[in-house]
């Protein structure tokens, strides 16, 4: 490696597994640091301690893997490790805008779905329909807790159809009611903010007049 004048950082980024610590120590002693695009490989093959070292070296939690092109967060969803997931979330790792929840719903994997949502996965109306069709109440609840973009109408139990189970209907009713309450609270907040802004403008005009 040294005789061939190899890029030590590039080599270093290939030694991500815990049992490769001696190789990393040898390379580190010669000035090697983790490269920016190594995080996905560490998530796949390494551990949280190695991930922290890479991040201290300046590795990018949102850089795609050199091989498959997956983002670190997407690798973490596929093979979740609680400590690794926590470190990635702390440092702002995100799934891509193209990431779909549908496969996780079909597999009835609500735990991995929650992780994907923590990494910024977007809930789409088709995901709600998929969970209703699958009778996957845990996934419905997880998506409802995270969703902030869809209207209450997307969660309306009337849209579930007559074949939905009573448990699914109850979950949708609770989620729809919560979304309506959130929308009403947001409306009241906007109204109060507008009223306060009008009051500030009146006071400012009065102050200029007195001046």
């Amino acid at each position: 490696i040294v005789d061939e004048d190899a890029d030590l950082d590039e080599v270093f980024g290939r030694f991500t597994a815990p049992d490769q610590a001696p190789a990393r120590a040898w390379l580190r002693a010669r000035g090697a640091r983790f490269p920016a695009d190594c995080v996905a490989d560490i998530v796949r093959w390494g551990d949280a301690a190695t991930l922290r070292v890479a991040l201290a070296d300046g590795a990018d939690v949102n850089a795609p893997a050199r091989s498959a092109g997956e983002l670190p967060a997407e690798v973490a969803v596929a093979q979740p490790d609680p400590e690794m997931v926590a470190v990635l979330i702390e440092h702002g790792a995100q799934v891509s805008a193209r990431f779909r929840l549908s496969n996780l719903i079909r597999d009835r994997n609500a735990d991995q779905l929650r992780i994907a949502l923590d990494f910024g996965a977007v809930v789409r109306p088709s995901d709600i329909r998929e969970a209703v069709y699958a009778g996957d109440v845990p996934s419905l609840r997880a998506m409802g807790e995270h969703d902030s973009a869809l209207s209450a109408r997307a969660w309306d139990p009337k849209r579930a159809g007559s074949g939905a189970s009573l448990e699914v209907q109850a979950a949708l009713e609770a989620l729809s009611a919560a979304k309506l309450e959130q929308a009403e609270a947001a409306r009241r907040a906007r109204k109060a903010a507008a009223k306060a802004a009008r009051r500030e403008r009146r006071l400012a005009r009065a102050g200029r007049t007195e001046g």
Side-chain angles (χ1 to χ4, degrees):
I1 289 171
V2 174
D3 289 345
E4 294 297 325
D5 196 26
D7 183 333
L8 295 186
D9 290 357
E10 176 72 18
V11 175
F12 193 65
R14 298 179 183 278
F15 289 87
T16 58
D19 61 358
Q20 293 173 325
R24 289 197 299 275
W26 187 88
L27 288 161
R28 176 74 75 173
R30 286 154 181 80
R33 295 293 183 269
F34 277 111
D37 59 356
C38 68
V39 175
D41 287 337
I42 293 175
V43 174
R44 183 175 282 109
W45 307 112
D47 56 19
T50 305
L51 176 59
R52 289 190 179 94
V53 173
L55 295 175
D57 281 354
D60 185 352
V61 291
N62 288 309
R66 283 165 288 184
S67 52
E70 290 175 291
L71 293 175
E74 293 165 359
V75 177
V77 170
Q79 49 183 71
D81 170 89
E83 191 176 1
M84 196 93 75
V85 167
V87 174
L88 288 171
I89 290 173
E90 177 188 349
H91 286 81
Q94 295 276 303
V95 295
S96 74
R98 299 185 302 277
F99 187 88
R100 293 290 185 269
L101 297 170
S102 53
N103 288 339
L104 299 175
I105 295 169
R106 291 188 194 108
D107 292 342
R108 299 180 69 86
N109 202 325
D111 290 337
Q112 283 179 260
L113 182 137
R114 286 189 181 92
I115 293 171
L117 292 166
D118 286 339
F119 282 128
V122 175
V123 178
R124 296 172 173 82
S126 59
D127 298 322
I128 300 172
R129 292 193 296 272
E130 188 79 45
V132 168
Y133 178 77
D136 189 350
V137 173
S139 289
L140 276 174
R141 288 176 177 152
M143 290 189 292
E145 290 165 5
H146 280 75
D147 169 55
S148 61
L150 297 176
S151 69
R153 186 169 182 270
W155 302 92
D156 190 339
K158 294 176 183 176
R159 296 164 63 88
S162 58
S165 69
L166 293 176
E167 190 180 9
V168 166
Q169 290 280 356
L172 287 172
E173 286 172 5
L175 290 168
S176 181
K179 297 301 175 186
L180 286 169
E181 185 176 337
Q182 290 167 11
E184 178 59 22
R187 187 192 68 79
R188 289 196 299 266
R190 289 193 300 270
K191 186 176 179 181
K195 183 178 179 181
R198 288 194 299 271
R199 183 173 180 274
E200 288 295 327
R201 289 195 294 270
R202 284 198 303 270
L203 291 174
R205 286 196 297 269
R208 288 197 297 270
T209 302
E210 290 174 6

